[in-house]
Amino acid sequence: MRLFFALWPAPRTAGALHDWAMRASRESGGRVTHAETIHLTLAFLGEVAAERLPAAIEAARRVKGATHTLPIEQARYWKHNRIVWAGPNETPAPLAALAAELKACLLKAGFELEARAFAAHVTLIRNAREPRAALPELPRVDWPVGEFVLVRSVLSREGSSYEPIERCALSAGGRPRAR
């Protein structure tokens, strides 16, 4: 099964980002991410044998993490992978710590992960071209981060569908609680 860990926004936040992406796609073309699949990837595991699923869940349960807010302050086009994304100007310290600790726990559990540095971004348009004009102003949205999710991705001709497998709640004290 194809797995990844992510942050998932509330439906209202996802809807506002989706509406923005629909407007932005007028300048960039491309395929807009469906509101229900908008997320921020923390760690991509790729194809994982079913018998390794408990190890992924156990690694996630070892992660300490603090609740925080993800600011959505900028939108950019990345030419190298042809996406339009939105995210913070700088990665919030609690998010950087969460991503680093999750990566460390997964590596210790024997999972192979991408070597590149974590980049806090939310892909909103794929297969985009460089926008012809400035992207529209981003909506003001709240994205409170109270949990991270282990997700199964199923690929089809219509795109990816996502199935949450495990949720790990974060706390103000930095100790996750599995739900």
Side-chain angles (χ1 to χ4, degrees):
M1 62 183 86
R2 188 176 168 93
L3 300 175
F4 65 95
F5 284 95
L7 303 181
W8 227 267
R12 183 175 181 176
T13 299
L17 291 174
H18 178 265
D19 291 347
W20 177 88
M22 291 297 290
R23 289 193 314 277
S25 71
R26 294 180 199 138
E27 298 300 326
S28 68
R31 188 176 77 245
V32 174
T33 303
H34 297 290
E36 62 274 7
T37 62
I38 290 174
H39 66 278
L40 184 148
T41 301
L42 294 170
F44 181 73
L45 301 179
E47 291 296 328
V48 175
E51 60 268 12
R52 295 283 291 142
L53 181 60
I57 293 169
E58 185 56 36
R61 288 180 179 166
R62 280 192 233 109
V63 173
K64 298 176 184 176
T67 58
H68 60 282
T69 299
L70 176 65
I72 302 296
E73 302 164 312
Q74 66 171 320
R76 297 280 184 264
Y77 170 73
W78 276 344
K79 185 176 185 173
H80 68 281
N81 55 5
R82 300 179 55 214
I83 66 167
V84 173
W85 63 272
N89 290 328
E90 293 183 24
T91 302
L95 176 56
L98 173 63
E101 189 173 357
L102 178 59
K103 182 176 183 176
C105 288
L106 290 166
L107 289 171
K108 187 175 181 179
F111 290 95
E112 293 183 27
L113 303 172
E114 297 173 319
R116 66 181 168 180
F118 174 70
H121 72 283
V122 179
T123 300
L124 296 174
I125 306 173
R126 295 184 187 283
N127 299 321
R129 64 179 180 273
E130 189 158 358
R132 296 179 299 230
L135 292 169
E137 184 176 334
L138 283 165
R140 293 185 183 267
V141 295
D142 289 327
W143 187 329
V145 178
E147 68 179 8
F148 64 99
V149 186
L150 175 59
V151 180
R152 179 179 181 199
S153 172
V154 178
L155 302 176
S156 72
R157 288 184 184 182
E158 291 79 38
S160 298
S161 63
Y162 300 131
E163 172 190 345
I165 293 175
E166 184 77 15
R167 297 179 181 277
C168 294
L170 305 173
S171 72
R175 274 269 198 235
R177 298 176 316 272
R179 286 198 233 172

